[in-house]
Amino acid sequence: MPDVFDPTVFAGGLPHEAFRELRDTAPVAWQEEREVLGWPAGPGFWAVTRHADVKHVLRTPEDFSSWLGATQIRDPEPDDLAFIRRAILNMDAPEHNRLRKVVAAVFTRKRLERSAERIAERARRLIGAVADRGGCDLPVDVTDDFPLLNLADLLGVPAEDRELLLHWTNRVIGYQDPEHAEVILGDDGKPLNPRSPALLADMFAYARELADRKRAEPGDDLMTALVRADLDGAELDMFFFLVVIAGNDTVRSALPGGVHALVEHPEQYARLREHPELLPSAIEEMLRWHPPVLSFRRTATRDVELAGQLIRAGDKVVVYHASAHFDERVFRDPFEFDLIREPNDHLAFGQGPHVCLGAHFGRLQMRIFFTEFLRALPQVRLAGEVRHLTSNFINGVLHLPLAWGG
């Protein structure tokens, strides 16, 4: 049975052949959760790889809970679970419905669109800074900073504190990657989970300090709106965590992933340069081709059958967006990058009650970035080895060396 648990499997890009074999022969397949990279073994889980089944799991929280075991593949420590469940990502109804309604009231399209001109100016500045060089490492020189600074503006984080957001993101997302890992060992010599409350204490302390500043000196920013909303202290901490980590790293992954897709398909790239009005459709295809989030975990609430496989109550179930996006049962010629693909039922922003609150902000940043990228640079080409994040959760691109001109 192909292994899609080991994060090193994803270090070279998506394991398409493994996913294809699972979709064709075992669409709900048991995966051993072996010890890997110093992290202890787990109980194992069911990998769900077909589009229809992934969508079904995400749409039926009554059978597949976000709350029971939270939403990351690795089990949290039992003592940490109660706190982790305070994040909206790890809630089921009715608590999820209550908190989502509160947050949605401040995370509005109107508030996000007000930041469009600042985002456009930032895209012009960052891309303009490399335009005369003849090449760059896109993540290092441009796309690591772009969503980070946009997010800091949205939250109202002071300029002098913005590097903290990148530090926290790398620590939480990149903990399995040799380049980003900041491994802290416990008394038993084993790594401590960077998502545990103890190791997030510095982020939560900063969130509370920032909230106090916004109460004293309100601004036109998301953090001010959040402190005025009906959130308790733990909910505010966890929402700050979610916005900082998910809001930053998903766009940080999607931008170089989209550029890489264009570079790999020069005819489609040239077509987009000639017809920039295709950009909205192209962005949806980039999100299908390079889904920022590879997988999400749920836990079965009861014995249930999925694709002919009996899943027992309490079993971990992990859905793979990265496989669903290439399911031949749904997408015509899924291994062709098609700028005008229609329909394009990708799952990059999730499905069901947990569909991403930040989807509009993500698309807004992508639209602005690629508008400037296409305008300011000639057609770029690959100039070295592409390096992916070692992760079975985030589809990160750490290095994308590009060249242009002579």
Side-chain angles (χ1 to χ4, degrees):
M1 189 67 65
D3 177 6
V4 292
F5 163 66
D6 187 341
T8 62
V9 169
F10 296 85
L14 299 184
H16 284 303
E17 287 308 313
F19 280 139
R20 193 201 305 257
E21 182 177 343
L22 290 173
R23 288 194 302 270
D24 289 347
T25 64
V28 179
W30 186 253
Q31 295 281 299
E32 297 295 334
E33 202 175 339
R34 303 180 317 280
E35 181 176 346
V36 60
L37 298 174
W39 296 89
F45 60 89
W46 296 104
V48 180
T49 50
R50 286 184 185 170
H51 186 279
D53 298 327
V54 169
K55 183 182 283 191
H56 174 75
V57 169
L58 295 175
R59 286 181 166 183
T60 53
E62 63 274 15
D63 290 338
F64 301 101
S65 168
S66 300
W67 181 83
L68 279 175
T71 52
Q72 302 303 302
I73 295 178
R74 186 171 299 282
D75 287 335
E77 294 296 324
D79 291 345
D80 295 340
L81 182 56
F83 188 85
I84 290 169
R85 284 170 169 167
R86 304 303 300 275
I88 189 172
L89 195 67
N90 302 322
M91 289 180 174
D92 293 332
E95 278 300 290
H96 173 261
N97 299 350
R98 177 193 66 82
L99 188 55
R100 189 177 179 94
K101 184 177 180 181
V102 169
V103 172
V106 300
F107 211 73
T108 62
R109 183 179 293 253
K110 181 179 179 181
R111 180 183 299 279
L112 298 176
E113 288 288 351
R114 286 204 298 267
S115 63
E117 184 48 45
R118 286 198 306 273
I119 294 171
E121 188 281 328
R122 181 166 291 126
R124 289 190 290 270
R125 177 171 54 80
L126 288 170
I127 295 173
V130 301
D132 293 334
R133 294 188 198 172
C136 72
D137 186 339
L138 188 71
V140 174
D141 295 328
V142 180
T143 57
D144 276 3
D145 282 345
F146 181 67
L148 174 78
L149 297 173
N150 295 335
L151 186 67
D153 275 350
L154 179 70
L155 276 168
V157 172
E160 62 270 20
D161 295 340
R162 291 179 178 187
E163 283 303 310
L164 288 170
L165 305 187
L166 182 60
H167 170 72
W168 288 324
T169 301
N170 286 342
R171 191 172 72 190
V172 171
I173 295 296
Y175 72 97
Q176 297 178 134
D177 188 273
E179 184 167 330
H180 284 317
E182 181 184 324
V183 179
I184 300 174
L185 302 180
D187 294 338
D188 58 2
K190 294 182 179 180
L192 297 176
N193 190 338
R195 296 180 175 90
S196 67
L199 292 191
L200 293 174
D202 56 341
M203 181 189 285
F204 294 152
Y206 180 83
R208 290 189 288 273
E209 179 186 332
L210 182 62
D212 287 342
R213 275 190 261 173
K214 297 302 179 182
R215 290 186 184 98
E217 300 177 12
D220 182 20
D221 54 64
L222 184 59
M223 198 63 176
T224 297
L226 287 171
V227 299
R228 290 171 171 166
D230 186 22
L231 302 182
D232 66 28
E235 289 170 346
L236 185 62
D237 286 348
M238 293 301 280
F239 195 75
F240 182 82
F241 163 80
L242 180 63
V243 172
V244 167
I245 303 304
N248 178 23
D249 220 61
T250 49
V251 178
R252 181 187 176 199
S253 168
L255 296 175
V259 171
H260 190 205
L262 293 175
V263 170
E264 285 185 310
H265 301 87
E267 291 183 1
Q268 292 288 295
Y269 186 3
R271 183 183 187 188
L272 182 60
R273 290 178 57 79
E274 186 176 349
H275 298 284
E277 69 274 10
L278 299 179
L279 184 56
S281 174
I283 286 171
E284 300 309 307
E285 181 68 344
M286 292 173 193
L287 290 166
R288 183 192 73 87
W289 190 265
H290 182 91
V293 177
L294 295 167
S295 64
F296 258 113
R297 177 253 181 102
R298 298 290 190 265
T299 304
T301 62
R302 63 183 180 90
D303 291 358
V304 61
E305 188 174 296
L306 183 67
Q309 176 63 57
L310 178 62
I311 298 171
R312 296 291 186 185
D315 284 354
K316 282 198 275 192
V317 177
V318 177
V319 296
Y320 281 91
H321 307 70
S323 173
H325 284 191
F326 293 87
D327 189 345
E328 298 88 343
R329 295 154 192 82
V330 173
F331 297 99
R332 184 192 71 256
D333 300 323
F335 292 94
E336 289 187 12
F337 183 72
D338 182 0
L339 293 179
I340 57 171
R341 182 178 294 277
E342 183 64 37
N344 192 346
D345 189 19
H346 69 73
L347 307 174
F349 293 113
Q351 283 278 308
H354 281 281
V355 66
C356 179
L357 278 164
H360 179 72
F361 193 50
R363 286 186 170 101
L364 175 68
Q365 291 179 83
M366 291 184 74
R367 173 174 57 79
I368 290 171
F369 172 84
F370 279 103
T371 296
E372 183 61 19
F373 182 85
L374 294 168
R375 186 200 68 78
L377 299 179
Q379 188 155 334
V380 307
R381 61 188 181 275
L382 200 59
E385 182 182 359
V386 181
R387 178 147 135 56
H388 297 264
L389 184 71
T390 302
S391 172
N392 50 22
F393 174 55
I394 285 286
N395 196 14
V397 178
L398 300 181
H399 296 287
L400 182 63
L402 301 175
W404 52 86

